[in-house]
Amino acid sequence: HVSPDYGILEVVDECGKPVPVGTTGQIICTGLVNDAHVLIRYRLGDRGALSDEPCRCGSPLPVLKSIEGRTGDVFVLPDGRRLGILGDEMYGVTSVAEWQLIQEAPDLFTVRVVPAKGYSKADGEQILKNLGHDLPGVTIHIKTVPAIERGPGGKRALYVSRSPQDDESINSDRH
């Protein structure tokens, strides 16, 4: 449920214009309850869609139809499709200690893999095969590395998009 008593939730396109109900876009919010820290049209970094259907519980409040992940966790494929988070496991290949999927360009991906005990060329081939199902029509390379860099908070990003089609330029204007 979206409670208008606490704030205003909007779903917008890349230009900040409202999208039709049921269409996925960026979620932005304006808070109405915190006078000390006012957020006006704050870009959460999430993507989702509003629903025009009433909630099954009977509440009259507006409903989010879906939340489809973070804008930074979305890849834009060459055909314009947006692909959200694929999961946090490397397709059941247990000989991978850590991994990271990087979109270098709309049609080029690199999987950075920190091998665990028993990692073999066959494991890399299995990863490529499995990713090929989720990322059809793109080139995917595997690069084994000793470690994955951590961000300022000590976390590693599972998904990184360096593609010019991603939402990073949109997210940089948060206020």
Side-chain angles (χ1 to χ4, degrees), residues 85-173:
I85 294 174
L86 303 173
D88 61 359
E89 295 181 11
M90 189 38 69
Y91 295 101
V93 177
T94 58
S95 57
V96 172
E98 293 183 337
W99 60 273
Q100 183 179 61
L101 183 61
I102 301 170
Q103 184 178 25
E104 309 286 356
D107 61 348
L108 178 62
F109 287 79
T110 300
V111 183
R112 301 180 76 214
V113 172
V114 177
K117 185 177 181 177
Y119 181 82
S120 69
K121 184 177 178 181
D123 293 323
E125 291 169 358
Q126 185 66 46
I127 291 168
L128 289 175
K129 178 182 174 187
N130 292 339
L131 277 173
H133 291 294
D134 288 336
L135 299 168
V138 303
T139 301
I140 306 168
H141 297 288
I142 289 191
K143 180 178 181 182
T144 56
V145 295
I148 306 286
E149 299 86 23
R150 300 301 200 248
K155 295 182 178 180
R156 76 181 151 94
L158 290 178
Y159 302 98
V160 176
S161 180
R162 297 179 180 155
S163 175
Q165 293 184 21
D166 70 13
D167 286 330
E168 289 307 308
S169 61
I170 296 154
N171 290 332
S172 65
D173 68 346

Side-chain angles (χ1 to χ4, degrees), residues 66-90:
S66 66
I67 299 177
E68 299 182 9
R70 307 288 292 168
T71 55
D73 295 339
V74 175
F75 298 124
V76 180
L77 300 179
D79 63 5
R81 286 184 301 130
R82 302 177 80 81
L83 182 65
I85 294 174
L86 303 173
D88 61 359
E89 295 181 11
M90 189 38 69

